[in-house]
Structures are given as C-alpha cells and as structure tokens.
C-alpha cells in the first residue's frame, strides 16, 4: 500500500485543503514538540479540528475505510488473533478477515512502524481502517476480557499447591513477592473487574469447583474454575492485605485495603464468612479516583433535584433517603454533602463504613466491638457544635429519637432507612418507637430511590408490550397516557457483553411533608398518611418515575417491572390511592 512506501505529511494536506490554517499548523507543531503526541491528537485537543472531521479527512486522503466501532459487530475469536499487548501498544483491533488480507482498525493508520509490526505479528497482509482512538480503547477493554488469563494463573497456582502440601507459613513469608502465582491471579481478577465496571467480586469455594463472580450493573456474572484447592491461598492473601487474623477461619471478619488498578485508586471493602466448603469472600470495589459524585451527577430529574436542593439548604430538619441495599442511597447523601461542604459549616458524619473520604468533614466509623454505636457517636457529635449531621443509617429507636431531637434543635440531619418507598418510611420511624409528635415536627422530606439498568445505546430496539403488560400500563398511567408510550427493549452486542444493558441510572420519588401529612404522622394513622401522600401535589411513585425513564428510551419495561417486583403487587399499591 502507498502508506507503507512513503511518509505522508498530514499537516500539509490539511492546510492545502483549507481544513486548518498555516498558522494553526505551526502552533500545533510547536505544541507537539512539548507534549510528544501525534499531530492529529494535538490538532483535536487544541480545537483546530474536531475528531470526526479529522478522521473523515484522513480516510479520504488515504483511501481507506472509516469504521465506527460503536456500530460494528465484532468476531471475538478473530480479535484474539492479535494479542492484547500489541493491540494496546499499536492502538489496533482486527475487524474482519477478507480472505487475502485482514481489515485492522487503527487509531493512527499513518504509523508505518505499527503497520509493519501488525503484518509481522498477524502473519498476513493488513488493510488499515481509521477508527476513533477513544472508542478503540473502550472497545479493547470490552473485548479483551481476562477470563483465560485468570484460568491460566489459577492453574499455575494449583500446580504449586500440591494436595496435602499447602504451606501456610511460606505463603505468608512470600506476601511481598509480586511474581507469586497468587499475586498474579488476584491482580488479574481485579483488573478484569475494573475493566467491566464491576461493583463487587465474590470468591465462593464449592465442593469441587471455585466460583469467581462479579456484579456488573447489579447482576452477577460467573467464572467457574476446577482448581478448587486454590481458594485457601486466595483467602489468605486477601486477609493479609486487609490486616485480618489469618488463623481465624470459624468467624466472619471485615476489613479493607486500597490498591491501584489500571491507573485508578480502588478502595476494597472485604467481608469473609465461613461456609460449608471453606470461606466465602465478598469485596465491594469503590473507585476513589474521582471521589464522591456531585449532586448534579446523581441522576435526579430536574424537578426533584431543585426541590431536594432547597430542602438540604434549610437550617434544620430531618431528610431521609431510603431504599434497599445497593440502591445508591450513599451516593445521593455524599452528593448532598459535597454541595453543603462550606468553610462556614461544621459537618459530622457517623457511618458504617466510611466509603469516601471528604475534606473538611469529620467522618466517624462506628465500631460495635467497642460499643461505638450510631447512638453513642451521635450523642457525642451533638457536643461538637455541628451544623449538619449525617447518620449512616437509623437502625433503632434510640438512634431515631436522637436524630429527630437533633433536627428539632437547629441541626440539619441527613440519614437513611431500609424501606421500600417514601410513603412507608415516615411511618417506619413511628414503628421503631419514635413518638409521633417528634417525627411530625422534625421530618421534612423523604427521598426513595432505586437503580435500574440503562439500555445499551448501541443495540436497543423498539418494543411493543404484550396484553398483560399493556393492561398494567393502562392501570398505572391511565389508558390515554399509556397508549402514547414509545418503549425500547435490549438486544445485546459486544459493548454490553450481550446483555443489552450498560450502566445503571437512579429513579426517584420525593415526598415533602405538608401540614396534612404531618398531622396524620402525629396521629400515627398509616392509612390516612398513605391516602394524603398519593394526592400530594408533585408526588410521583417510584414506578411512575421509572416508566418516565422507559418512555425516554433510557431503560426497558422489564426493568420497570423488576423494580416493582411483580405486576400484581404494583397494581395493589396503586389501588391504595
């Protein structure tokens, strides 16, 4: 090909075709000397040309195709012909086999050295195609999973741990050996988890196999390995990292440690539990690279966000954020703290555990082993002259009453409850034993939230509800509104690991207490409270909020029905109104 014979001066061609000016080229070349990047990347970052315009121009000049990787159907087996190391080094991916040559997407098809190396490695003629570098890198993360690498390291570790000769002491002594098979195996497991955006890693020894599962977008994905006996070595290594008692295998233990994976700082919360076949380990992965999420990025709709902002800036009162485990409550609360964190305000948090470290905020980790409970810390915190208190969770009557009295005496209190919706949360305080008049006076609002999976924007298709689903939609939204819905469904592609979903988004309901609601709460009348709440202006149940997201093509009807657990239960809930 022509590009292998001579060096093309793309800058001169851009000037000749009046895509950029000579002055812009000179400025870009000068900047290139300082940063050492490719000229095309420099031109894009300096704003002289946008990436799509540059790549289209490059495609025309070199007479090679431009491929949009977001819409491309990959052959994973074909991609694997180019080892990941070389794919990342030369910014390339094998797209198709055209018989006498391979079509290879390249971020820089003018890199003659990379072109020659690709032909040598692939042992076949290469036809280059232009691709977006950003899309290429994200695609490499998706298609080069570490499944085989993990299996290979597990086999290597298994060979070292000959049956009956597992040496606990030597493995402890070798804890700093980065070449040890157990270290390489764990490193590969963490890299794979970060690559697919997993929130949790589960290590579960079974009778004859070892299961390693990752929770991605709320759903577990599993890898099964026959090397069952490597489980103790993995658990031991993780206990060492977490500074836990390696000799204790009969009792659960909790710990945490930090590590860097693919340039990101990951905080790992670890929990061990004795089971029939050994010890089960679950690790929650917290990406500390970007810190806590700003309130704007939590995902609240604009109308709820504006009202919630107004509420958290009130001088005193209790605001509850509710939902089951894993519904994003902590993310919302940290977003609120980020906004409230000012020099003129004293903020104290009582948490179990402390997930993100926030500057200027006094964060306390509770410790039941030494009787450092929520209630005890909260009483001490009130003597620290706080303006704002965050209570990680209201779990009992004592904590509830202290939080409510703090909210009545000039403090803004933020906290969580494990309840299903905003309406039931207020009454839960009374059920815990808090006085009705306390709850009615102190409680300002309740936010309930869930996480639903976001449709992959690369592969969704139109969806028509079946008869049962349509009947439920008619009942929930009203027939007129339900018939106007345009819904989407997942299909599955390489970008979403064939699940049809990629990422999650929060759905919210906000209930602000008015005089009528406060009166029902004071009387502890649950039936009246529910009826009044359903007719409160601006209140929308979670299911309706989720349906609004589905109508925008953000999620699917299946996810809405999963959120509501089942159609019949949701219909009964709506009938209360």
């Amino acid at each position: 090909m022509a590009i292998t014979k001579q060096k093309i001066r793309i800058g001169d061609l851009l000037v000749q075709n009046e895509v950029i000016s000579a002055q812009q080229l000179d400025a870009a070349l000068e900047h290139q000397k300082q940063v050492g990047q490719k000229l095309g990347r420099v031109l894009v970052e300096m704003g002289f040309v946008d990436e799509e315009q540059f790549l289209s121009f490059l495609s025309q000049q070199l007479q090679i195709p431009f491929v949009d990787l977001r819409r491309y159907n990959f052959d994973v087996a074909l991609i694997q012909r180019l080892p990941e190391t070389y794919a990342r080094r030369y910014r390339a991916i094998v797209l198709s086999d055209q018989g006498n040559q391979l079509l290879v997407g390249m971020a820089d098809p003018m890199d003659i050295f990379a072109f020659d190396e690709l032909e040598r490695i692939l042992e076949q003629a290469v036809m280059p195609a232009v691709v977006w570098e950003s899309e290429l890198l994200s695609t490499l993360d998706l298609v080069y999973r570490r499944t085989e690498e993990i299996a290979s390291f597990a086999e290597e570790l298994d060979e070292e741990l000959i049956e009956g000769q597992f040496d606990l002491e030597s493995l402890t002594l070798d804890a700093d050996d980065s070449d040890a098979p157990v270290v390489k195996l764990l490193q590969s497991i963490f890299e794979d988890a970060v690559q697919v955006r997993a929130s949790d890693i589960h290590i579960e020894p079974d009778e004859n196999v070892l299961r390693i599962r990752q929770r991605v977008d709320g759903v577990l994905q599993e890898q099964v390995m026959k090397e069952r006996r490597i489980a103790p070595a993995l658990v031991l290594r993780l206990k060492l990292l977490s500074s836990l008692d390696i000799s204790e295998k009969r009792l659960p233990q909790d710990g945490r440690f930090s590590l860097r994976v693919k340039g990101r700082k990951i905080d790992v919360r670890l929990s061990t539990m004795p089971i029939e076949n050994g010890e089960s380990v679950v690790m929650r992965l917290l990406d500390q690279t970007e810190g806590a999420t700003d309130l704007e990025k939590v995902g609240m709709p604009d109308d709820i966000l504006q009202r919630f902002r107004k509420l958290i800036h009130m001088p005193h009162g209790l605001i509850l954020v509710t939902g089951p485990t894993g519904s994003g409550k902590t993310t919302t609360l940290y977003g609120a703290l980020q906004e409230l964190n000012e020099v003129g305000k004293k903020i104290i948090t009582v948490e179990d555990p402390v997930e993100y470290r926030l500057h200027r905020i006094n964060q306390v980790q509770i410790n039941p082993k030494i009787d450092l409970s929520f209630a005890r810390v909260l009483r001490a915190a009130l003597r620290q002259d706080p303006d704002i208190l965050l209570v990680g969770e209201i779990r009992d009557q004592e904590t509830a009453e202290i939080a409510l009295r703090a909210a009545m005496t000039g403090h803004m209190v933020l906290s969580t409850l494990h309840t299903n919706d905003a309406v039931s949360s207020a009454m839960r305080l009374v059920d815990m034993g808090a006085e009705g008049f306390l709850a009615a006076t102190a409680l300002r609002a309740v936010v309930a939230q869930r996480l639903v999976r976001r449709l992959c924007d690369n592969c969704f298709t139109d969806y028509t509800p079946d008869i049962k689903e349509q009947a439920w939609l008619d009942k929930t939204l009203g027939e007129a509104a339900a018939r106007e819905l345009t819904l989407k469904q997942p299909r599955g592609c390489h970008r979403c690991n064939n699940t049809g979903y990629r990422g999650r988004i929060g759905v919210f309901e906000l209930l602000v207490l008015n005089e009528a609601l406060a009166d029902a709460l004071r009387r502890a009348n649950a039936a009246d409270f529910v009826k009044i709440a359903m007719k409160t202006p601006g209140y929308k149940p979670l299911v309706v909020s989720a349906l609004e997201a589905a109508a925008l093509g953000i999620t699917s009807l299946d996810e809405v029905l999963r959120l509501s657990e089942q159609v019949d239960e949701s219909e009964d809930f709506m009938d209360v109104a």
Side-chain angles (χ1 to χ4, degrees), residues 221-261:
Q221 301 176 359
E222 182 177 81
Q223 181 176 359
V224 179
M225 295 182 290
K226 64 181 184 298
E227 294 83 7
R228 159 69 180 78
R229 62 188 175 195
I230 71 173
L234 289 177
V235 175
L236 171 63
R237 178 67 183 186
L238 291 167
K239 283 183 175 180
L240 286 170
L241 288 170
S242 307
S243 301
L244 300 180
D245 184 354
I246 61 175
S247 63
E248 180 57 77
K249 301 179 181 179
R250 302 165 300 168
L251 297 173
Q253 297 189 69
D254 295 314
R256 68 190 302 165
F257 61 92
S258 297
L259 71 163
R260 294 198 72 85
V261 182

Side-chain angles (χ1 to χ4, degrees), residues 60 68 109 143 164 263 288 319 332 479 488 546-547 565 575:
Q60 294 171 5
D68 185 350
V143 297
Q288 301 285 344
I319 297 176
T332 299
E479 188 170 343
K488 305 294 181 183
L547 279 172
E565 296 183 350
D575 284 342

